[in-house]
Amino acid sequence: MNLHEYQSKKILAAYGVPVPQGQVAASADEAAAAAQAIGGSLWVVKAQVHAGGRGKAGGIKVARDLDAVRTAASELLGQRLVTKQTGAAGLPIEKVYVEAGSEIARELYLSFTLNRELGRIAVVASASGGMDIEAVAAQTPDKILSVTVHPAVGLQAWQCRQLAFALELPGEQAKQFQQILLGLYQLYLDKDASLIEINPLIVTRDGVLMALDCKLDIEANALFRQPAMAALRDIGQEDPTERAASEHDLNYVSLDGNIACMVNGAGLAMATMDLIKLEGGTPANFLDVGGGATAERVTAAFRLILANPKVRAVLVNIFGGIVRCDLIADGIITAVREVGVKVPVIVRLEGTNAEVARVKLAGGKLAIIAANDLTDAARRAVSAAQGTNKSAA
């Protein structure tokens, strides 16, 4: 679950991480009032959306008087911000964050994330912070520094010093950096974070380290024990279909293709999408209905995937281990009848009661294509989406 910048910075401040003074606003007048309360003569007005790349997309504006603050907020609020991370539809700007301007001497990069290969928290830093950190990682990976944290001992002072020296931070700044790292590490543990990214972590002209921006993601599977974090969820920033899927305990991610996929098991879903690509097609979604799929859940899944107007075919790939294939077949037949499916549905069922399921599908007098195996299913789905008729040899 993603948080907005203004929410993230409030949490950072509670853990001793310096942040510029700022206030959130939902109207131009509120933005001007926030700037006046902050004081000074330079403010930054930031669109609050769950995406990076806001600066390059025009979502961050500098203002030097209150009228400019009001104008900047008016230009942003009510619009949809399109960045490289949002897709063409963009995300709605319902709030802006008005922040005091900062005098920047250096821009650093800092993040805490999970190294999945080692199963440990990784602290990543770079002296080349700012908007083009992705280019730094791709073109000069040697400028990206990293240390991993052993869970038995936690983040150590020597690791903090190691990164500080590599970033060429002098004595007092190195001490500040260590305190920031220790605070962020505790935050990561306390809030069940999956990512803390500060880009940039600035050094001001006065030699003070400060988080100028922050991206904080909370592990969705841990929200049951993080009620305060769950309360910060902004559903307006989420894909409507993905939000509806979560209400039915379905794992769904929208993609750009035209072949809808419904699979039980994340690994099998990934393999199914890979095979669709191998056969020349493009998946419209990732959808894992889970090992305990029911007729009701299958029906809900069909409604979700068919809400996408790009879908030209549906590929159902179910392996019946825990769940019985004949029950899945009942769900497919019910869904096709109730939802009114108007695109080809290709079904591959294997496992418990698979033969019974195939008989049910064949006797349903519906436009359901039974596949012989997964390769055949992928080929038939691609052919159906392309308007051709082809199956495995």
Side-chain angles (χ1 to χ4, degrees), residues 296-317:
E296 293 77 12
R297 188 176 292 180
V298 171
T299 301
F302 263 100
R303 293 186 188 279
L304 287 170
I305 59 182
L306 291 173
N308 182 352
K310 295 180 181 179
V311 171
R312 296 291 177 266
V314 178
L315 172 54
V316 180
N317 182 22

Side-chain angles (χ1 to χ4, degrees), residues 31 137 141 147 288 341 356:
V147 298
D288 172 17
V341 180
V356 176

Side-chain angles (χ1 to χ4, degrees), residues 191-337:
K191 304 301 183 184
D192 286 306
S194 57
L195 173 68
I196 304 173
E197 183 178 57
I198 298 176
N199 187 32
L201 174 69
I202 66 167
V203 180
T204 68
R205 296 193 187 280
D206 296 332
V208 176
L209 271 65
M210 187 176 296
L212 199 60
D213 193 7
C214 178
K215 181 178 181 181
L216 176 56
D217 295 350
I218 307 300
E219 172 55 52
N221 292 317
L223 288 177
F224 71 95
R225 63 186 185 194
Q226 295 288 348
M229 295 296 99
L232 299 178
R233 179 184 178 188
D234 183 354
I235 61 174
Q237 294 290 308
E238 300 175 10
D239 181 285
T241 306
E242 294 179 12
R243 185 171 68 248
S246 67
E247 294 172 357
H248 293 281
D249 294 324
L250 299 169
N251 296 310
Y252 179 95
V253 179
S254 297
L255 300 173
D256 296 327
N258 59 6
I259 300 175
C261 304
M262 185 170 68
V263 190
N264 65 328
L268 186 59
M270 296 295 289
T272 302
M273 293 191 297
D274 286 346
L275 197 50
I276 288 173
K277 292 289 289 185
L278 183 64
E279 295 297 331
T282 51
N285 62 270
F286 167 97
L287 175 58
D288 172 17
V289 296
T294 62
E296 293 77 12
R297 188 176 292 180
V298 171
T299 301
F302 263 100
R303 293 186 188 279
L304 287 170
I305 59 182
L306 291 173
N308 182 352
K310 295 180 181 179
V311 171
R312 296 291 177 266
V314 178
L315 172 54
V316 180
N317 182 22
I318 301 292
F319 179 80
I322 299 174
V323 63
R324 286 163 39 192
C325 289
D326 58 316
L327 296 180
I328 293 297
D330 289 337
I332 294 171
I333 293 171
T334 300
V336 171
R337 285 175 175 165

Side-chain angles (χ1 to χ4, degrees), residues 337-355:
R337 285 175 175 165
E338 291 186 1
V339 178
V341 180
K342 294 180 172 57
V343 298
V345 178
I346 298 87
V347 180
R348 180 256 187 176
L349 296 174
E350 290 293 344
T352 306
N353 289 355
E355 289 300 327

Side-chain angles (χ1 to χ4, degrees), residues 11-299:
I11 298 171
L12 258 61
Y15 280 81
V17 179
V19 297
Q21 187 178 358
Q23 292 185 21
V24 67
S27 71
D29 288 340
E30 286 183 10
Q36 190 170 23
I38 292 169
S41 58
L42 179 67
W43 303 271
V44 183
V45 183
K46 302 181 177 182
Q48 295 300 283
V49 296
H50 288 171
R54 293 174 299 164
K56 290 183 177 180
I60 297 178
K61 299 179 181 293
V62 176
R64 300 184 182 279
D65 57 56
L66 296 181
D67 286 339
V69 171
R70 186 178 286 103
T71 299
S74 296
E75 292 174 351
L76 293 172
L77 289 166
Q79 304 300 313
R80 297 185 72 90
L81 187 67
V82 179
T83 77
K84 289 184 177 180
Q85 297 182 10
T86 65
L91 289 172
I93 306 173
E94 298 175 343
K95 292 183 175 71
V96 294
Y97 189 52
V98 182
E99 190 172 69
S102 301
E103 294 186 347
I104 302 172
R106 293 185 65 191
E107 292 187 346
L108 310 175
Y109 174 87
L110 178 63
S111 69
F112 281 66
T113 188
L114 177 63
N115 183 323
R116 297 186 183 277
E117 292 183 0
L118 299 177
R120 297 181 179 180
I121 296 172
V123 185
V124 182
S126 176
S128 301
M131 292 192 295
D132 294 318
I133 188 63
E134 292 83 2
V136 173
Q139 299 170 11
T140 54
D142 56 299
K143 293 184 178 180
I144 305 296
L145 313 169
S146 179
V147 298
T148 55
V149 182
H150 195 291
V153 297
L155 182 63
Q156 297 293 291
W158 66 266
Q159 292 177 306
C160 300
R161 291 194 296 271
Q162 181 184 52
L163 288 175
F165 295 156
L167 295 173
E168 298 182 350
L169 294 172
E172 184 56 37
Q173 292 177 13
K175 291 180 181 178
Q176 294 178 45
F177 186 70
Q178 178 173 324
Q179 292 304 309
I180 289 173
L181 289 184
L182 293 174
L184 292 176
Y185 177 69
Q186 194 60 49
L187 187 163
Y188 193 98
L189 297 178
D190 291 348
K191 304 301 183 184
D192 286 306
S194 57
L195 173 68
I196 304 173
E197 183 178 57
I198 298 176
N199 187 32
L201 174 69
I202 66 167
V203 180
T204 68
R205 296 193 187 280
D206 296 332
V208 176
L209 271 65
M210 187 176 296
L212 199 60
D213 193 7
C214 178
K215 181 178 181 181
L216 176 56
D217 295 350
I218 307 300
E219 172 55 52
N221 292 317
L223 288 177
F224 71 95
R225 63 186 185 194
Q226 295 288 348
M229 295 296 99
L232 299 178
R233 179 184 178 188
D234 183 354
I235 61 174
Q237 294 290 308
E238 300 175 10
D239 181 285
T241 306
E242 294 179 12
R243 185 171 68 248
S246 67
E247 294 172 357
H248 293 281
D249 294 324
L250 299 169
N251 296 310
Y252 179 95
V253 179
S254 297
L255 300 173
D256 296 327
N258 59 6
I259 300 175
C261 304
M262 185 170 68
V263 190
N264 65 328
L268 186 59
M270 296 295 289
T272 302
M273 293 191 297
D274 286 346
L275 197 50
I276 288 173
K277 292 289 289 185
L278 183 64
E279 295 297 331
T282 51
N285 62 270
F286 167 97
L287 175 58
D288 172 17
V289 296
T294 62
E296 293 77 12
R297 188 176 292 180
V298 171
T299 301

